[in-house]
Amino acid sequence: MTGREAPIGVFDSGFGGLTVMRSLVDQLPNEDFVYLGDTARAPYGPRSIAQVREFALQGLDHLAERGVKALVIACNSASSAVLRDARERYDVPILEVILPAARRALAASNSGRVGVVCTEATAMSRSYDDAFAVAGDVQLTTQACPRFVEFVEAGITGGEELLGVAREYLAPLQVAGIDTLILGCTHYPLLTGVINYVLGDDVVLVSSSDACAQDTYARLTRKGLLHDVPRHASRQFLTTGDADSFQGIGERLLGRFVHDVEQVELR
């Protein structure tokens, strides 16, 4: 398949990118998708930028070989490590989660005090600092929240332990007086309830997943690649880890959205 008829490839280190995939399907319901989660080597957050770059390019190569019409890097850590390389390496539109989220946060903030919760790899890359560099009036506070990923992948979105961890992670952001918070890891939208509970309704939560999907819609529309009439669309789920485990966790997080998972090996 070529052009408009080809699927959209979505890459993530594991399960978090399924929140991006769900937003993409909601906003582009007539598109075919191929999702690849590198669960055998997840999480990417604690890894070095060089290693994340190596792994992410292997995953993106695999999707490119399947003839996709666009590549969505549905992982903040991978976006931080590989975006420039990907745009030079592949002859299709490359979408990611960082710049769209930064643009939305900039539009939402009244005070210019913006927070980011993310993985350690994303924090170390300073990708969000770079994204806001052109907006000199933004005071950015970044907080790595590695344990959030553990809770999400265990299917835990509430309870005293999670609440205690959330209060500890979010305290510096409260001290900084943020009015807007970027959920800078694609796992984190599944914790919107507890994050909103701790921060209160005065803090606007920006989902990198929704922002990425909106950016994808706009880019494909401009390129003339969008399916704009109703059709039966397909969704394919691939993982480098155990297919049954991936499907089980995917169903626990997102219900029947995840199905017929296939295991693949990356070169």
Side-chain angles (χ1 to χ4, degrees):
M1 289 184 292
T2 58
R4 183 176 298 185
E5 299 307 312
I8 297 169
V10 183
F11 175 77
D12 183 56
S13 61
F15 304 99
L18 291 171
T19 63
V20 177
M21 178 79 157
R22 184 166 63 179
S23 293
L24 285 164
V25 169
D26 287 345
Q27 296 185 40
L28 296 87
N30 301 314
E31 299 294 340
D32 297 330
F33 289 95
V34 182
Y35 179 97
L36 172 57
D38 189 14
T39 51
R41 299 182 292 194
Y44 280 7
R47 295 185 181 275
S48 69
I49 295 296
Q51 194 169 50
V52 171
R53 176 184 176 277
E54 177 188 355
F55 291 171
L57 287 175
Q58 290 173 358
L60 293 169
D61 282 350
H62 183 91
L63 290 171
E65 288 167 6
R66 288 175 175 256
V68 298
K69 67 181 177 183
L71 285 165
V72 179
I73 308 173
C75 172
N76 283 260
S77 299
S79 293
S80 300
V82 82
L83 181 59
R84 183 176 299 175
D85 297 284
R87 286 179 171 157
E88 294 176 356
R89 191 180 184 98
Y90 309 110
D91 190 26
V92 296
I94 307 297
L95 293 307
E96 47 85 35
V97 288
I98 293 174
L99 284 175
R103 286 195 297 266
R104 180 183 282 193
L106 190 61
S109 178
N110 293 316
S111 68
R113 292 190 292 273
V114 176
V116 177
V117 286
C118 58
T119 66
E120 293 161 302
T122 300
M124 289 176 60
S125 74
R126 299 181 66 84
S127 295
Y128 279 99
D129 298 79
D130 293 342
F132 283 107
V134 294
D137 56 345
V138 171
Q139 179 183 330
L140 187 66
T141 304
T142 302
Q143 176 67 44
C145 305
R147 290 198 63 198
F148 276 174
V149 173
E150 300 172 17
F151 283 104
V152 168
E153 295 196 354
I156 299 170
T157 58
E160 288 302 317
E161 184 181 5
L162 173 59
L163 185 58
V165 170
R167 283 175 170 148
E168 180 181 347
Y169 281 153
L170 300 175
L173 301 168
Q174 292 175 302
V175 171
I178 65 166
D179 70 354
T180 305
L181 178 67
I182 296 173
L183 305 179
C185 171
T186 51
H187 284 74
Y188 297 175
L190 295 163
L191 298 178
T192 297
V194 68
I195 293 171
N196 176 257
Y197 180 78
V198 173
L199 293 179
D201 292 337
D202 291 338
V203 176
V204 177
L205 302 184
V206 173
S207 165
S208 57
S209 301
D210 289 342
C212 176
Q214 291 175 348
D215 199 45
T216 303
Y217 182 99
R219 185 83 66 86
L220 293 184
T221 297
R222 288 195 295 267
K223 293 281 188 180
L225 294 173
L226 191 73
H227 278 291
D228 52 8
V229 295
R231 60 187 290 274
H232 179 72
S234 66
R235 298 186 298 237
Q236 188 174 9
F237 295 91
L238 312 175
T239 179
T240 58
D242 181 76
D244 290 338
S245 176
F246 186 98
Q247 183 155 330
I249 294 174
E251 288 178 348
R252 188 161 70 239
L253 296 176
L254 298 175
R256 297 190 181 187
F257 181 82
V258 180
H259 56 81
D260 300 326
V261 180
E262 176 189 345
Q263 186 179 34
V264 296
E265 186 173 332
L266 299 183
R267 291 197 297 253

